[in-house]
Amino acid sequence: MTNNKPLVLVLGGTGNTGTSIVDGLLRSGNFRIAVLVRPASVTKPKVDNLKASGVEIRIGELSDDYEKLKGYLQGVDVLISTVNARFVSQRDIIRAAKDVGVERIIPCDWATPGARGVRELVEVKFEIRDYLKELGVGHTIIDVGWWMQFYLPLPLRSNAAPRFKEMSWSIYGTGESKNLLTNLHHIGTWVARIIADPRTLNKNVIIWEDEVTQKDAHEIGARVSGDGDALREKRIYVSEQDVHKQIADGRVVYAKNPTHYPSTIPLLWGQYMLSIHFLQENTLENAKRLGYLDARELYPDIPAQSLEEYAKEFYSLPEPAEVYVRE
């Protein structure tokens, strides 16, 4: 019997965002799902888990020749990219997708809304958005705000590297800037609705579940973690001047080795902190000003988790810092 459900091909389907999306698509039951996997990753347990879930595995690299890319896209209705946009070119796979008749492309965004000229990584993403429009291919831009997993302070018991603890314990400026937040593991639930919705074609959509100040998030952390004043004493206050210095210093390191991921972190992190905490770009008001559709208005039936609710899950994890580790 023929399965007429749309076929979705996910790039980067074993990463954090990709895993959330594949899980959400599977839960919806409305799609056939394929994941493009690099030959070196075929034997990894995550790939075995995908196969066991009924996901089709297509083996290849985004750097493969153009005809091979078209082959990976055969029968695909929707292409979703969650690859690292800074290091992996999406242009050829997007062009191939248009050539084979893919109906909708969701490029790698999955971050916070904002303007051009602030963040290096977002500049790369804006170039891809321009390319999609230039090709005239159907697309949807999806941003998700800031992960809740990165917004709460790590508890004292965490075995994370000191730099990660310090990142999580930092409060920028007065801590009173609001930020849109989404639980990483819920992204796929929203995506399953967005990619099937004609209202979102050739539009930008913002997924968010809560909007909270950093100051309030750290208070939630101190209370729910049980660490109380001991965690409050760990707070590190970072000024806008400090962030500009981090960005300047980061540019020097970045210039020496722009293709080495760890070398990019000080610059990219500093630029994101400037954007979300001092320029206050990661707010619902700003997203709407930039023309984003509000996922919560589009799908009011999807329950949105509050940061307070998520904190109970976060601090019950054996190691809450698990998302800080990049595989």
Side-chain angles (χ1 to χ4, degrees):
M1 185 176 176
T2 304
N3 186 339
N4 293 322
K5 293 177 181 178
L7 175 60
V8 181
L9 178 65
V10 181
L11 310 178
T14 61
N16 284 322
T17 300
T19 296
S20 177
I21 290 170
V22 171
D23 288 346
L25 297 178
L26 285 169
R27 283 194 303 270
S28 78
N30 295 326
F31 306 93
R32 292 174 292 140
I33 306 157
V35 170
L36 186 67
V37 175
R38 296 165 54 235
S41 301
V42 170
T43 58
K44 290 185 177 180
K46 283 188 176 182
V47 176
D48 290 336
N49 292 338
L50 288 172
K51 291 178 184 176
S53 299
V55 173
E56 177 192 350
I57 303 301
R58 299 188 176 187
I59 301 170
E61 302 263 12
L62 292 185
S63 58
D64 287 342
D65 68 61
Y66 193 66
E67 290 304 314
K68 284 185 177 179
L69 293 180
K70 289 200 290 185
Y72 305 149
L73 290 159
Q74 287 303 313
V76 171
D77 298 292
V78 179
L79 173 65
I80 298 178
S81 176
T82 67
V83 299
N84 188 321
R86 179 67 187 84
F87 295 108
V88 180
S89 175
Q90 301 173 83
R91 284 179 175 261
D92 285 347
I93 195 77
I94 287 172
R95 184 162 58 93
K98 181 186 178 183
D99 283 351
V100 302
V102 172
E103 296 173 6
R104 190 188 303 225
I105 298 172
I106 292 83
C108 184
D109 281 277
W110 315 113
T112 57
R116 294 186 112 134
V118 178
R119 297 169 287 171
E120 303 278 340
L121 179 55
V122 175
E123 291 305 304
V124 175
K125 294 178 178 182
F126 269 113
E127 289 171 7
I128 291 297
R129 296 182 190 186
D130 292 342
Y131 187 58
L132 287 164
K133 292 174 183 176
E134 178 186 322
L135 289 178
V137 64
H139 62 275
T140 304
I141 305 303
I142 304 176
D143 274 320
V144 299
W146 199 247
W147 291 354
M148 289 183 179
Q149 284 81 350
F150 280 148
Y151 206 58
L152 290 166
L154 290 172
L156 301 178
R157 64 177 173 82
S158 173
N159 292 315
R163 70 181 185 279
F164 293 142
K165 287 186 174 181
E166 290 172 6
M167 286 166 65
S168 82
W169 295 340
S170 295
I171 293 180
Y172 291 82
T174 62
E176 293 174 351
S177 58
K178 286 185 176 181
N179 274 289
L180 296 176
L181 306 172
T182 302
N183 182 338
L184 162 65
H185 304 303
H186 295 170
I187 291 173
T189 300
W190 299 87
V191 170
R193 297 288 291 276
I194 292 168
I195 66 173
D197 189 343
R199 295 175 297 175
T200 63
L201 187 62
N202 300 328
K203 301 290 186 180
N204 293 10
V205 182
I206 183 70
I207 295 171
W208 67 287
E209 296 189 281
D210 204 354
E211 189 172 27
V212 182
T213 67
Q214 198 180 28
K215 183 177 175 182
D216 287 344
H218 279 250
E219 276 305 305
I220 289 171
R223 175 166 42 78
V224 178
S225 70
D227 287 335
D229 287 340
L231 186 55
R232 292 185 181 95
E233 290 171 4
K234 294 291 185 180
R235 292 175 183 172
I236 300 166
Y237 289 89
V238 183
S239 69
E240 186 172 358
Q241 183 179 358
D242 294 332
V243 170
H244 281 292
K245 184 177 186 307
Q246 179 183 338
I247 292 171
D249 293 345
R251 285 192 191 282
V252 175
V253 176
Y254 175 81
K256 292 178 181 177
N257 198 349
T259 61
H260 181 235
Y261 179 74
S263 299
T264 69
I265 293 176
L267 172 61
L268 299 185
W269 187 265
Q271 290 176 333
Y272 263 88
M273 296 304 98
L274 177 65
S275 168
I276 70 176
H277 294 302
F278 295 105
L279 300 181
Q280 298 184 36
E281 292 190 305
N282 184 34
T283 64
L284 185 60
E285 180 182 4
N286 187 54
K288 288 189 172 184
R289 184 181 64 79
L290 293 171
Y292 283 78
L293 300 178
D294 181 348
R296 288 183 61 173
E297 291 180 358
L298 291 172
Y299 318 110
D301 57 306
I302 298 179
Q305 186 177 40
S306 70
L307 185 66
E308 177 89 28
E309 292 167 340
Y310 173 68
K312 296 169 186 175
E313 296 177 24
F314 183 76
Y315 293 111
S316 68
L317 293 171
E319 177 48 82
E322 59 186 4
V323 296
Y324 282 82
V325 179
R326 182 183 180 84
E327 294 187 357

